[in-house]
Amino acid sequence: MKTTALIPFALAALLSGCIAATSAAQEVWSVDRCMAYAVAHNRTVRQRTYEADNYRQAHTKAIGSFLPAVNGSIGAQYNYGRSVDPETNTYNNISTFNNGYALETSIPLFQGGYLIHQVRQARANVLLGKAALQEARDNTALETFQAYINALYCYGTARLARQKLADSDSLLYKTRRLEELGLKGAADVAQVAAQQAADAYNLTHQENLYATALLTLRQQMNLPAVDHLLLDTCLIADLPVEAEGPQPADTEDIYYTALALNPGLRQAKLRKQAAKMERKMSLSAFFPRISFYAGLSTSYYKELHKTGYPSWKKQLDTNFGQYFGFSLSLPVFNRLSSLTARRQAVNNYRIAEEQYEAKKEELQKLVQQAVQDREGYRKESLQMARKVESDALAYRITRRKYEEGLMTSLDVKTNAATLLESQTLLLQSRLTYLMKCRLVDYYQGEELIREEETN
């Protein structure tokens, strides 16, 4: 692919700064490493991890509903005063002791499809939890990427301001020397000194903005204040911009890829599927429910202060019994709760359908905007690079003529301001182009974090 080298002299200082930073003792944080660290330490991501585990537990619980339920019970009762004699069924004024044991199991045979739809809904929720977790990771990575780009932009503008101040210091020194030689007047010195003071203020302002951008990036990453954060500024100097643009990609193809892979859209689709299962579950309330049950039981009885009763073990053997049966529950009238639940479930499904369609339309707009922005900022970077070269040449010529007495200090100030503005816009368009390229690649199914680095 044909490329155009865009290395105006205005970014030469950035390249030297990049080399110095790379060779420093501190460890450099690349954008991928910052994103990986942010994802690993983000609290929203951790919450989504726990929520996804809850969905898995709910799925296991739904499967367990098909298994038989087993209940065991042991009871002991002491009666004194008037009580019922279990042999004669008459009231006696005696003290007795009863001890009973029971074991029962029950299995649902038919519940109108409720259990099956419950498992399907739980399975959809498990996938929903995974999609929500992936969306939280992606959003955290994108927000960190944006914060990293903002910090790099502020770093670049601070270096441009430092370069501009150094140039103003040099011009002020030469103007004062020319004044001593009688080639410049006091007014020229005053104007250049005023510009030098303005550049010094601008440098302080840009450094403050860079410190604020670094703080924002730290907060986004949840990075402790004790850790040193040194950005990979090589990204500014070595950022390529293709003259012919990336390989043309059909926006519709990117959109259809995003339809299958975008976690936000997957969530909307899975919510729709879960709402559909909820609607079917609400219909099961109108069907009868059939269950099978079986059990074992035995007991022990004795009148206190009276002898002649069989032993505890013998009574347990004698009173041992078994039973089984079926139960049928018919919904007759439950104060309209089943009917209203059914209507609510239908409405929730329709809401989920609308949300899914709205999410698809939103995703299509985002894909189209990202592709358009990528191409737009690529063209802006190419044009602005040419403008920087032209403005740099014009500034050098104007300054040379000023030193020769053919231009005024106001001309130098105007050309210097024009050059600084062009350099800043070039830096902004290049960094924005980089972000849009990563965003389009994300919609095409590529991973946001391309280097799995964690700290």
Side-chain angles (χ1 to χ4, degrees), residues 30-315:
S30 67
V31 62
D32 293 289
R33 182 186 178 191
C34 287
M35 288 192 293
Y37 186 95
V39 169
H41 296 81
N42 185 265
R43 300 195 180 278
T44 301
V45 173
R46 292 176 181 175
Q47 293 177 31
R48 296 295 177 269
T49 302
Y50 299 140
E51 290 174 1
D53 185 64
N54 283 340
Y55 284 130
R56 287 192 292 269
Q57 301 308 317
H59 181 244
T60 303
K61 180 180 178 181
I63 294 177
S65 299
F66 288 93
L67 302 177
V70 180
N71 296 313
S73 63
I74 300 176
Q77 184 179 22
Y78 171 73
N79 295 324
Y80 58 91
R82 291 180 60 83
S83 61
V84 178
D85 187 344
E87 295 180 354
T88 63
N89 202 28
T90 59
Y91 283 97
N92 294 324
N93 200 14
I94 57 177
S95 299
T96 61
F97 175 76
N98 296 285
N99 187 204
Y101 303 87
L103 183 65
E104 182 177 282
T105 181
S106 62
I107 303 175
L109 300 180
F110 177 76
Q111 294 190 359
Y114 181 88
L115 297 180
I116 296 176
H117 299 318
Q118 186 182 44
V119 171
R120 292 175 178 174
Q121 183 190 48
R123 186 181 300 117
N125 286 335
V126 170
L127 299 177
L128 175 64
K130 293 180 180 179
L133 175 59
Q134 186 61 45
E135 183 184 40
R137 290 172 174 170
D138 292 346
N139 289 340
T140 300
L142 286 173
E143 291 170 2
T144 305
F145 195 101
Q146 179 67 64
Y148 194 96
I149 291 297
N150 292 340
L152 279 183
Y153 173 75
C154 293
Y155 172 84
T157 55
R159 290 198 64 86
L160 289 175
R162 189 174 293 107
Q163 178 186 354
K164 179 68 168 56
L165 178 60
D167 186 74
S168 296
D169 290 338
S170 174
L171 183 61
L172 179 59
Y173 173 79
K174 289 185 178 181
T175 302
R176 285 173 175 170
R177 294 292 297 170
L178 291 174
E179 181 191 20
E180 294 175 358
L181 297 175
L183 300 178
K184 295 292 181 183
D188 293 324
V189 175
Q191 290 179 355
V192 175
Q195 181 59 42
Q196 189 269 349
D199 292 340
Y201 164 78
N202 184 49
L203 174 59
T204 302
H205 178 66
Q206 296 300 329
E207 287 178 343
N208 289 336
L209 291 179
Y210 176 55
T212 302
L214 273 183
L215 179 60
T216 302
L217 178 59
R218 281 180 173 274
Q219 294 173 346
Q220 179 61 41
M221 295 171 55
N222 201 17
L223 183 68
V226 295
D227 292 346
H228 187 73
L229 182 61
L230 183 63
L231 304 185
D232 182 13
T233 56
C234 297
L235 193 63
I236 301 177
D238 299 339
L239 178 62
V241 179
E242 297 88 345
E244 297 180 354
Q247 190 67 26
D250 188 0
T251 304
E252 289 298 321
D253 292 340
I254 300 177
Y255 169 65
Y256 287 124
T257 302
L259 279 180
L261 301 177
N262 185 263
L265 187 63
R266 287 208 311 270
Q267 287 184 78
K269 184 177 181 180
L270 290 168
R271 288 193 184 99
K272 174 184 173 183
Q273 183 177 346
K276 183 179 180 180
M277 294 300 105
E278 183 70 27
R279 185 188 64 180
K280 293 183 177 181
M281 289 164 60
S282 66
L283 187 61
S284 64
F286 297 94
F287 290 87
R289 299 194 174 192
I290 303 175
S291 301
F292 168 79
Y293 62 91
L296 307 172
S297 65
T298 186
S299 62
Y300 171 77
Y301 174 82
K302 178 183 180 181
E303 291 184 16
L304 299 179
H305 311 294
K306 186 176 181 180
T307 60
Y309 283 93
S311 65
W312 177 79
K313 184 177 183 305
K314 186 174 182 180
Q315 285 198 41

